[in-house]
Structure formats: structure tokens, C-alpha cells
Amino acid sequence: MKKIVIAAAIIAAAIIAAGAGAYWYTQHGTSSSASANPLLDYIPADTPVFSGQLKPFPLKNYLQSISGNYQQYSTDSLAELGALDSPMAKFFVSIYTQYMDGIKNPTQLLKTFGLPNEVEPFFYTLGVVPVLKTNVDQIDAFWAVLDKAEKDSGFTHEKRTLAGVDYRAYSLAEEGSTEKVDLLFAHKDGILTVTLSGTTIEPEVLEMAFGIKKPTQSLAASGMLKDIIKTHGFMEDSISFINHVEIVKAITSPDGNMLGKQLTQFMAEESQGEDPFAEIRTPECKAELTAIAANWPRTVAGLTAFSSTEKESHMAASFVVESKNQAILTALQKMRGYIPTHLADINSTIFSMGLGIDVNEVAPSLTAIWDDLQKPQLTCAPLAELQAELSQQSPAMLGMFTGMANGVKGVSLSLLDYKMSTQDQEPKLESLDALVSLTADNPSMLFNMVKPFAPMLAELQVADNGEPTDLSPLLMLPPEMNIKPMLAIKGQHLVVYSGDKGLALANKLAGEKPSANGLYSMSADYGKMFTPVLTLLELTGEPIPEELQMLKDYNMRVQMSFDVNKQGIVFGSVMNSKASEKK
């Protein structure tokens, strides 16, 4: 089974990569509503997992904008992969190698795989069966990719037909195994379908996967995609979800949905008639797990911003763990602290990280969550056991430790600029612009509270009027480093800064009044972060590992965040990539 999973993952990754992450991202176009794509009529409403492009994704533009930044496997690494002794593994490596050979020339890559300039891929599951679909322009080109992989590996397919649809079947089962598992490729009405079939998979599932038969109730008719877009304010471009309700239904009921039926049949054969889900398929467990799933129904994802040209792509997405448990959401929201506004600008720093936490609310909020998890008293055996263990871990003691940081609202670190040079063939940090901040109700009082516990700070005085104190003598930094860290109180922020840019940002921070605006943020500009170091290494004549050399002039910025809103727990991501100017 491990080989089957690995093989399926590799082929899916190869084709998805050709779609350049298009499961999650697409452009803001002029297509009709979220349920207009006819492919949605063939996806059952009870699918546990779905990710789909509802409007065309500008694949060629996107690949052009990232091609110069794309991480390449070295020739040696690809050779090692190609040396694998399994024909199946060599088959997938050949497909991946063909993809890697074309990634630097997007036009050629699309031609090689037969893909159009704009694609509309879908991924979903029919129970446990994964299905990947995408439109293709030249199916003969895609078949040629598979033919080459067969020639390179000796791994061949069997031609089959189902209700007039021809398809290729590649056996993934181990030699001598009675278990039949095949990787399938089919083409119908301009759509390429990649899926799996096996001994326990019913023929009607395959008919549904190939677009021959429609489900009783489709995702298009369910209104779920429209609901997700409206609830979370996503763009009507691409939507993804994991349906917790359907997953719980499957493991608590032998015939509650397609997934449940398949799991029951598969597990019965694997466990010789014993039901491994028997412990949680009791009336008590079914009722309690269903109630939990209703409180945390889905994990959803969608775009909040997108644009793509040949020179630049910018995208922002949100991943939300939906919750209807207002007690827990309210408690988490009370813990939100302050993250400086400059951290929201992906272009403002080389690297930044901010933790927004209202220390005064940590203990009471965690206690409120802990109390909520203790009720009602659960009777389902596995859940009752977890609840009993949780009851022994009261967070009330946290109040003793958080008292030392009373009034703290957040901390942040921002690297703004730096320069490297050489001295006697040794690397030297020539300059550093950075800012570290701690936001609190009364930063001066907090600093004075900490001093008795840090003898090195005992003689240090910090003025309330914003005048800085030089930390160089305290830190014993050598003069040749040309770095002068300064400590100051700027408004409600205790800051340590270095360089003119650090000072300017510290002064700007002085005018910011703390508000509860987030929990966590991190961003990085890869090019600005690594290029100076790699340039310095080149000057010293030191050999640079190929993996690091790839990061030089890497023109990409990323940002990740974590927060809580009224709809649930939110994970945010932003990516900005510009085509490399290096020829």
C-alpha cells in the first residue's frame, strides 16, 4: 500500500505542478457563477475533499512569472532518481524529468504536456477514490509524455474501454499480489482524467470519475460552493474544502455515504470480517462525533486577491477551519494582540515575524476553552478518555507565569537591510538595519520590572520621552562591526533598533496605538535575504552548494499569518513572484 500511495502522489504532483499550484489559485475573470462549470454536475455533494478552478487560470503567465525562481533538481539528483530499480518508479521519474526539463521554458512545457495557456483543473474524491481533471489542448502530446516514460522505464499500460471511453490502465499492485490497484488515464470531451481503480471499487464509481454517469445529488446543485464564497468573502475563482461532516459520517456509519460504504468493504476484507470502526460506530459515538463535526464542519480555502502577468504574479489566500463554537472562538479572539502595521506589507522588510498576544487574556481565555471542552460529559469511550485526560491539565496555573509580562500586547522582529563585505578573506557584517519591538500598556514599567532579574540591565536607564540609549557598551560589540543598537521607548513600544531604516521605522511605530489586530505574522523576501550572502561567498572563492546557488536572485516574497475571526481559525498566505531579470 505504501508504494501505491507514493506512486499516486508522484503522478499527481507531476501533473499538478504542471498546473502550477492551480488547485488553489486562479485569476479574477468574468465567468459565470460558482456552479456553472459542467464538471461540477459529475461531482457528488458528499465528496469529502474538493479543490477546483471555477474560472480559467492563466497558466502560461504564471509559469513565466515564476520560471526564473523555480527550484531545480541538480543533474546528479535526477540521475539518482533515474537509477531506481523499480520500473514503476522509473516511469514516474521520467514524467517528472520531462516536466523539469521544460519548466524554464513555459511555452515548451505547455506544448510538451498538451496543456492550454489557461487551465481549469479539479481535484476531488469519490469516497476514497482520488480524481484529477484538467482541460487539455493536445491529448496526443500528453500521450507522448506517457509513451516516453514507458520507453524509459519498461513500465507499460493496458488499453481498456468503459461505456465508449478508452483509457490507459497502469498496474500499481506488487508482483504476486491478489490486490488489484490501477492508475488510470482517460480523455473525454477535451478533459483529461487521472484516477485510481481497485478490486473493491465499484464500476459505477469509475463511470462517475470518467464523466459518464452523474451522481444522485451533485456538488453543483448543493449550493455549497456559493455558500463558502459568501460566508468567507472569497473571490469566485477557486474554492477548496475538506468536509468534516462527511468524514465523520463515514467512520460512524457503515452506509452513511459513499466513503463509509467503501471503508466498510475495504476494512472488512483487510481485517477478515472484523469492523475496525466498531468502537466508534456505537449510537453514543455517532451522536457525539456528529455534534462535534457540526460545530467544526469544514476546512475551506479560497483566494482573496489575485493577478498574473508574464512579469509578475501576486496571490493571497485564506484557509479557514470553520467553527460554530462561539465560546472557543470568543476566547481565542480575546487573546489577539498587536502586530505592527508594517508587517502587513510584504515588500517592507527582508524578514519579519510578529506575535500578537494579549498576555493578560491568555490564562482566562485558555481556561474558558478548557471549561468548554469539559462539557457536556461525553459517553463515547475514546472521547470520554480524551476528555478525562484533558481535565487533568488545567491552564489556571498559567496566570502565575503570565503575571510577569503583565500588559504585553505583542513582540516583533524586522530585518530591513544588511550589507556584507570581506576583510582578510573573512566575511564581515558591514551594516545592519533592523528593529525589535515589544508592545505593552506601560513598557517603561515592564522594563523596570525585568531589570532585577537581569543584572546586566541594572544600570541601564531608558527615558520615557523617546530618547535612545546606546546598547553597544552593554553588548560589547567591536567597533569594526559598525553596528550601533539603540534602546528606546516609542509610544507604547519598547524598541531596539539599528541603522537609519531601523530608526525611521521605530519613529513611525511611536505613532501607532496598539489594537487587537492578529495573532501571528511572518514574511520573507528570498532574494534580499540570500543574495548578499551568496555574493559574498562568491567573492571569497568558497564553493557554494548548488541548492544555495539556486536562491541567488530569487525574486519571490511570501507571507504567512494566523488569526481568528467569527467564522473560525484562519491561516493566511500571500505570494508575490516576479520573473527573474537575469538572462
Side-chain angles (χ1 to χ4, degrees), residues 379-400:
T379 57
C380 171
L383 296 179
E385 184 178 342
L386 289 174
Q387 192 177 51
E389 292 179 3
L390 183 64
S391 67
Q392 307 300 317
Q393 309 295 325
S394 174
M397 293 293 291
L398 277 175
M400 296 178 59

Side-chain angles (χ1 to χ4, degrees), residues 8 153 213 241 318 368 386 583:
S153 64
K213 180 179 180 180
F241 66 76
S318 287
L386 289 174
K583 303 296 183 182

Side-chain angles (χ1 to χ4, degrees), residues 322-344:
E322 294 182 329
S323 178
K324 299 184 184 302
N325 190 318
Q326 291 304 313
I328 290 180
L329 291 182
T330 299
L332 290 173
Q333 286 178 305
K334 286 183 178 180
M335 290 172 59
R336 297 171 80 230
Y338 178 72
I339 296 176
T341 55
H342 70 269
L343 268 68

Side-chain angles (χ1 to χ4, degrees), residues 48 224 227 232 241-248 290-300 320-325 567:
M224 187 182 301
D227 175 64
H232 301 283
F241 66 76
I242 300 173
N243 194 324
H244 307 158
V245 173
E246 294 297 337
I247 293 173
V248 167
T290 299
I292 292 173
N295 248 353
W296 302 83
R298 296 175 302 211
T299 295
V300 302
V320 185
V321 182
E322 294 182 329
S323 178
K324 299 184 184 302
N325 190 318
Q567 283 74 44

Side-chain angles (χ1 to χ4, degrees), residues 442-453:
N442 191 332
S444 178
M445 182 183 70
L446 191 65
F447 180 74
N448 290 326
M449 285 178 59
V450 173
K451 287 171 64 174
F453 299 94

Side-chain angles (χ1 to χ4, degrees), residues 494-517:
L494 180 67
V495 301
V496 176
Y497 62 86
S498 174
D500 293 338
K501 293 180 181 179
L503 171 60
L505 196 57
N507 288 334
K508 179 182 177 183
L509 191 61
E512 295 185 13
K513 187 175 181 180
S515 61
N517 63 357

